[in-house]
Amino acid sequence: MKSSTSLSYFYSGQNVWPNQTEIKKLISWDKSHFPTPWTDGQWLELGKEDDYLLVVAPQGFALFKLFKIEGLAHLLKVVTLPESRGQGLAKSLLSESILKIKELGLERFYLEVEEGNLPAQRLYQSLGFKNLHLIKNFYGQGRHGQTMGLDTL
């Protein structure tokens, strides 16, 4: 684990992953503050697989799946606690994550965001992400996902 400006970086590809106490905290945040939380089992399996980058701040986290051969990173989740919203934490988490991932040699990024989540879309656009396409019913019946991408080449 490496820290920079109160961020901690965990990279499963180097067998560096949070301990069970930290994972339980992230599971709690995910269940309380993310519209489509994962199961405990999904979280516990993450550290067993290669190529995940988890960036943790005291009030939030960002999680990416890394595809090294393709030079691509998939943002799976970004969660900030309600008391930290509107203070730039999500933007900082994502900006720092993108820099770290670029250090690993990946240059392209993508994510899905719920079509109606305009604050999140504006955040991603402020970082340079562009709309790619709409996925019908991605989050459930009538809940469409907007795929967004960023190419830093």
Side-chain angles (χ1 to χ4, degrees):
M1 173 176 62
K2 297 176 186 170
S3 293
S4 169
T5 60
S6 74
L7 297 179
S8 299
Y9 299 88
F10 300 95
Y11 179 46
S12 64
Q14 297 175 346
N15 295 318
V16 178
W17 205 244
N19 62 38
Q20 290 296 325
T21 302
E22 184 78 9
I23 288 291
K24 286 180 181 178
K25 177 177 75 173
L26 299 177
I27 290 170
S28 171
W29 288 357
D30 186 37
K31 288 181 178 179
S32 299
H33 307 295
F34 199 74
T36 51
W38 287 354
T39 66
D40 291 11
Q42 286 172 301
W43 273 102
L44 296 173
E45 288 299 311
L46 282 181
K48 298 176 184 174
E49 298 180 29
D50 282 348
D51 299 329
Y52 285 91
L53 179 71
L54 175 64
V55 181
V56 180
Q59 298 290 314
F61 68 89
L63 176 65
F64 290 82
K65 169 72 173 154
L66 308 178
F67 300 92
K68 290 182 184 175
I69 293 172
E70 296 89 347
L72 183 66
H74 181 193
L75 174 62
L76 300 172
K77 291 184 176 284
V78 60
V79 173
T80 58
L81 300 185
E83 59 269 21
S84 298
R85 293 188 185 146
Q87 299 176 25
L89 177 59
K91 189 169 188 171
S92 176
L93 273 167
L94 294 173
S95 296
E96 293 294 323
S97 297
I98 289 168
L99 290 174
K100 178 58 86 176
I101 290 168
K102 286 179 70 173
E103 288 176 13
L104 297 171
L106 287 75
E107 298 286 342
R108 296 179 300 129
F109 302 82
Y110 78 101
L111 58 89
E112 298 87 9
V113 59
E114 196 156 354
E115 180 183 35
N117 190 344
L118 298 180
Q121 289 183 39
R122 283 191 293 272
L123 166 66
Y124 302 136
Q125 289 166 348
S126 77
L127 294 165
F129 282 83
K130 306 282 187 231
N131 289 348
L132 299 176
H133 66 273
L134 190 68
I135 306 171
K136 297 281 188 183
N137 303 315
F138 184 78
Y139 292 100
Q141 188 61 34
R143 296 175 60 208
H144 310 309
Q146 177 65 55
T147 302
M148 301 180 78
L150 171 66
D151 192 336
T152 63
L153 289 173

